[in-house]
Amino acid sequence: MTALSNWGRWGADDEIGTANFVTPETIVQAARLVKKGQVLSLAIPLNPRTPTDPSRPPMQHFVRSARLRVADHGWGGDSEFADDWISMSPQTGTQWDGLCHAFREGRIYNGYDAGQAINPHVGARKCSIDRLATYFVTRGVLLDIAKHKGLGNLPGGFAITPRDLEEAAAAQGVEVRRGDALLIRTGWLAFWNRATAKERESFYDLAPGLGMSAAEWLHAREVACIGVDNVAVEVKPAEDGKSMLPLHPVLIRDLGLTLGELFWLEDLAKACAEDRSYEFLFVSQPLRISGGLGSPINPLAIR
Ligand code: UVW
């Protein structure tokens, strides 16, 4: 896997990795894909029940109603305001994993020293999520692997290979190009929605997702980012039966590829199948969290 690397490709000071594949021309062409004025949200609802990795506490949401007396406003009543605040890991629900989120051998993307780049007080000094504030606006492509296999959802532990990606693209009549946001549907989130309590116990440990061999394919296609409807983009358990998230460091650290997790792709998959068109304008910016390692997002597919 060491052969797969984008370190230095966009300069020694680069902090955005494969987002560099999105050019002004890519954006202009992607905007031309809007034909119907249809906007689909690819996010799942964010609330205390939203799935998050068990290493993170669930989101907490507090609401406060504040009464404000306005003596002479002339309408004969008090004005009232409500506001709220939340406590959560930014990597809850539909999210971008920043390029500082996964590392190995003390190095993050582009070779930055992890010890210096990630500070417990100020967050990431390199490759923080806010560096991607104007990304990603680009062409989106959906590959519906579950549909291609004739299944409502791929089974837990199913490792998606380059062949699966190629075959789905050919069947759908779509080509994956440089600078694309590649969305991959496994059907796993929809399965989770209808799962029994027993089945939900294994939601985080068992999932279909990308196998290791997909890394080389993604590198060759030069996609800007990927979004998958599972917890961790990659298959769980790992193909070797023992590693923990082995694809994360290859994609995030070596390629500088921003990963999107827990994408809601059901509505988009239906719309694309009806129109037999699997390309659209994709828009999904992270919050500008200074030094953030990831961000919740509400990705949009605009058709
Ligand atoms: C972990 O970091 C454990 O998971 P993920 O990147 O999938 O959110």
Side-chain angles (χ1 to χ4, degrees):
M1 285 297 166
T2 48
L4 300 183
S5 173
N6 281 323
W7 290 13
R9 181 170 185 166
W10 296 284
D13 57 353
D14 180 57
E15 298 184 44
I16 63 169
T18 53
N20 283 292
F21 288 132
V22 181
T23 63
E25 293 73 36
T26 321
I27 298 170
V28 170
Q29 281 173 18
R32 295 200 182 106
L33 295 171
V34 179
K35 306 274 193 259
K36 301 167 96 170
Q38 180 188 40
V39 182
L40 298 169
S41 168
L42 311 181
I44 56 172
L46 198 49
N47 57 50
R49 293 168 304 286
T50 300
T52 185
D53 188 272
S55 61
R56 304 170 184 132
M59 173 201 185
Q60 289 181 292
H61 185 195
F62 308 94
V63 178
R64 186 184 66 151
S65 187
R67 229 157 214 261
L68 185 73
R69 287 204 169 276
V70 183
D72 61 353
H73 144 330
W75 300 337
D78 295 340
S79 297
E80 291 189 73
F81 297 84
D83 62 20
D84 57 356
W85 64 104
I86 57 177
S87 162
M88 62 181 270
S89 157
Q91 277 133 315
T92 300
T94 310
Q95 64 190 270
W96 284 138
D97 274 351
L99 298 188
C100 43
H101 170 59
F103 43 98
R104 192 170 57 194
E105 294 159 350
R107 300 275 155 192
I108 67 167
Y109 166 67
N110 220 14
Y112 297 114
D113 184 298
Q116 288 173 16
I118 302 167
N119 180 281
H121 304 291
V122 299
R125 291 189 174 117
K126 294 285 178 195
C127 302
S128 57
I129 199 71
D130 52 319
R131 298 273 194 268
L132 294 169
T134 57
Y135 298 86
F136 292 89
V137 177
T138 189
R139 173 179 181 254
V141 169
L142 174 70
L143 292 186
D144 190 342
I145 309 297
K147 182 174 187 311
H148 181 61
K149 296 280 175 193
L151 299 167
N153 63 270
L154 299 175
F158 183 100
I160 298 169
T161 62
R163 191 171 170 180
D164 297 325
L165 297 163
E166 285 291 349
E167 284 181 359
Q172 293 176 196
V174 74
E175 198 188 14
V176 177
R177 299 192 202 128
R178 174 189 286 192
D180 282 351
L182 175 63
L183 310 184
I184 299 166
R185 179 175 173 271
T186 67
W188 198 242
L189 256 188
F191 162 73
W192 192 78
N193 277 352
R194 55 174 194 272
T196 61
K198 185 83 197 132
E199 286 168 331
R200 283 179 183 216
E201 282 171 17
S202 55
F203 184 63
Y204 297 100
D205 304 325
L206 181 72
L210 295 180
M212 288 303 274
S213 59
E216 202 166 353
W217 188 89
L218 291 167
H219 186 43
R221 295 296 166 290
E222 301 184 326
V223 297
C225 56
I226 56 175
V228 186
D229 60 345
N230 64 6
V231 189
V233 167
E234 57 187 285
V235 62
K236 282 178 138 188
E239 291 150 289
D240 66 3
K242 54 179 198 281
S243 304
M244 154 137 171
L245 301 178
L247 197 53
H248 265 58
V250 179
L251 299 183
I252 296 179
R253 182 196 95 135
D254 301 346
L255 299 191
L257 180 65
T258 299
L259 305 189
E261 298 169 336
L262 291 166
F263 273 47
W264 179 252
L265 300 177
E266 298 305 299
D267 302 327
L268 177 63
K270 270 193 209 104
C272 288
E274 268 165 33
D275 294 350
R276 296 207 180 104
S277 170
Y278 285 82
E279 56 177 2
F280 40 86
L281 171 63
F282 175 84
V283 178
S284 183
Q285 285 67 61
L287 299 177
R288 298 186 80 159
I289 305 170
S290 305
L293 287 84
S295 173
I297 45 173
N298 178 22
L300 300 178
I302 310 175
R303 309 170 73 244

